[in-house]
């Protein structure tokens, strides 16, 4: 049913994408893997434009995982160069369209030219208030959780935080994803049905959509169909349908008031 904003019944606030399949796309065409990544960068452009046009507020792309450092050196270097190219070529249009760029992961791990290009892109687009485009770079979901735990442990040891003060909100503030809301829709292209260490904490209630197409084949219409499909899902967050629809109340959970029986 298309009726709400931009013709959709419901728009996910935060969409995250695992852009898989560049290598296979290239191989199937007798091309080098890096040509698949270059074509993938063009698909990034379409995804960003479409997401901001339909009113998605946060788009997070898995551009380079901590595990990707293990790839052949030439491929890693090409990916780092592609990021520089993307940052330089797209920055004017991103700013013009009100898109602010953000990074999660360990930006410091990147080679200096790539780090500088990305830092420049972040500064240049800092005023954007239409959509936040987050690039996950040298990112690992488990690593982000472990580093938040470590940082809180250090603060607890110094007496700056009490263990009983550590709740979901405080924990989140110590993650590199602190500025992002929880993921509503997680899309993976490339045909695999796994989340590969992406946004583990933030995707707790995300709708997962696995697509058989390779990332370079991702088109504006692919995102539009994904949003339409998302609009048809009922998200219950552990409750029952009648509660989500406001027909019966949501109970407050008080561990001291355990249900007997
Ligand atoms: C996974 O495909 C893709 C990556 C590891 C890199 C993603 C990078 C881009 C889409 C281009 C650059 C990014 C930006 C933001 C400009 P794969 O290589 O694992 O594909 P395969 O599974 O077919 O081998």
């Amino acid at each position: 049913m298309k009726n709400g904003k931009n013709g959709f019944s419901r728009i996910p606030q935060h969409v995250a994408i695992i852009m898989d399949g560049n290598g296979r796309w290239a191989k199937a065409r007798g091309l080098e893997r890096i040509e698949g990544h270059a074509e993938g960068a063009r698909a990034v452009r379409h995804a960003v434009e479409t997401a901001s046009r339909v009113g998605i507020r946060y788009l997070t792309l898995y551009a380079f995982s901590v595990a990707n450092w293990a790839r052949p050196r030439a491929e890693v270097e090409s990916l780092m160069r592609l990021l520089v190219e993307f940052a330089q070529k797209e920055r004017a249009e991103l700013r013009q369209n009100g898109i602010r760029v953000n990074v999660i992961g360990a930006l410091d791990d990147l080679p200096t030219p790539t780090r500088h290009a990305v830092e420049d892109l972040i500064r240049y687009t800092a005023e954007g208030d239409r959509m936040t485009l987050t690039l996950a770079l040298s990112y690992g979901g488990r690593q982000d959780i472990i580093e938040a735990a470590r940082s809180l442990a250090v603060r607890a040891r110094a007496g700056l935080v009490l263990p009983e003060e550590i709740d979901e909100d405080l924990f989140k503030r110590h993650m590199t994803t602190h500025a992002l809301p929880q993921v509503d829709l997680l899309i993976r292209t490339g045909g695999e049905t796994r989340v590969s260490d992406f946004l583990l904490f933030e995707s707790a209630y995300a709708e997962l959509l696995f697509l058989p197409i390779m990332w370079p084949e991702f088109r504006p219409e692919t995102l539009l169909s994904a949003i339409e499909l998302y609009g048809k899902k009922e998200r219950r967050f552990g409750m029952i349908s009648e509660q989500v629809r406001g027909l019966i109340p949501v109970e407050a959970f008080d561990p001291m008031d355990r249900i007997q029986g």
Side-chain angles (χ1 to χ4, degrees):
M1 185 183 47
K2 288 191 175 189
N3 50 15
K5 193 167 190 277
N6 295 308
F8 290 102
S9 57
R10 209 151 43 95
I11 301 271
Q13 185 190 20
H14 185 182
V15 175
I17 309 185
I18 302 175
M19 311 180 287
D20 195 19
N22 294 344
R24 277 166 288 161
W25 180 89
K27 197 171 168 203
R29 286 157 183 79
L31 303 169
E32 296 291 327
R33 289 180 57 81
I34 186 59
E35 294 180 75
H37 294 312
E39 195 60 28
R42 283 186 271 280
V44 165
R45 201 161 186 253
H46 297 312
V48 172
E49 273 171 11
T50 312
S52 78
R53 181 161 51 81
V54 300
I56 288 167
R57 303 282 300 163
Y58 296 86
L59 176 68
T60 302
L61 303 177
Y62 208 1
F64 196 84
S65 72
V66 266
N68 288 152
W69 290 114
R71 291 193 174 199
R73 200 185 168 96
E75 182 170 339
V76 172
E77 284 171 355
S78 303
L79 276 167
M80 292 298 137
R81 274 198 299 274
L82 261 183
L83 280 164
V84 174
E85 237 178 77
F86 177 83
Q88 291 169 348
K89 271 214 292 216
E90 303 297 328
R91 67 176 215 157
E93 200 167 325
L94 290 169
R95 180 153 89 173
Q96 210 173 7
N97 292 334
I99 299 167
R100 170 178 166 266
V101 176
N102 173 44
V103 163
I104 54 172
L107 189 54
D108 286 347
D109 289 350
L110 303 191
T112 311
T114 312
R115 182 165 56 81
H116 283 170
V118 174
E119 282 169 349
D120 176 63
L121 184 62
I122 293 171
R123 270 193 302 273
Y124 193 76
T125 59
E127 303 295 313
D129 60 2
R130 187 177 167 86
M131 185 178 86
T132 299
L133 167 64
T134 300
L135 302 178
L137 294 171
S138 193
Y139 173 84
R142 285 184 297 193
Q143 180 171 295
D144 215 26
I145 293 169
I146 290 165
E147 277 171 16
R150 186 183 298 139
S151 140
L152 280 164
V154 168
R155 291 178 67 76
R157 189 176 55 189
L160 296 168
V161 63
L162 295 171
E164 55 271 30
E165 286 172 344
I166 301 174
D167 58 8
E168 201 177 305
D169 186 49
L170 182 62
F171 196 86
K172 183 83 204 287
R173 276 190 263 149
H174 287 264
M175 301 180 73
T176 66
T177 53
H178 59 87
L180 303 178
Q182 64 171 344
V183 176
D184 298 307
L185 174 62
L186 175 68
I187 302 172
R188 179 179 187 141
T189 58
E192 311 289 358
T193 50
R194 48 181 178 254
V195 292
S196 300
D197 205 18
F198 192 40
L199 300 170
L200 298 180
F201 188 89
E202 299 75 5
S203 295
Y205 284 99
E207 292 295 334
L208 307 181
L209 183 60
F210 298 103
L211 300 175
I213 58 162
M214 302 296 126
W215 175 249
E217 294 163 336
F218 194 93
R219 295 283 170 270
E221 309 81 66
T222 321
L223 184 59
L224 301 180
S225 325
I227 297 169
E228 202 174 339
L229 205 65
Y230 169 85
K232 292 185 182 141
K233 304 270 180 180
E234 180 185 62
R235 306 185 71 208
R236 294 190 290 278
F237 300 97
M239 295 177 284
I240 69 168
S241 183
E242 288 76 3
Q243 290 174 307
V244 178
R245 289 187 281 139
L247 301 176
I248 63 168
V250 175
E251 302 290 337
F253 175 60
D254 177 357
M256 300 305 285
D257 176 28
R258 286 191 201 286
I259 291 168
Q260 306 296 318

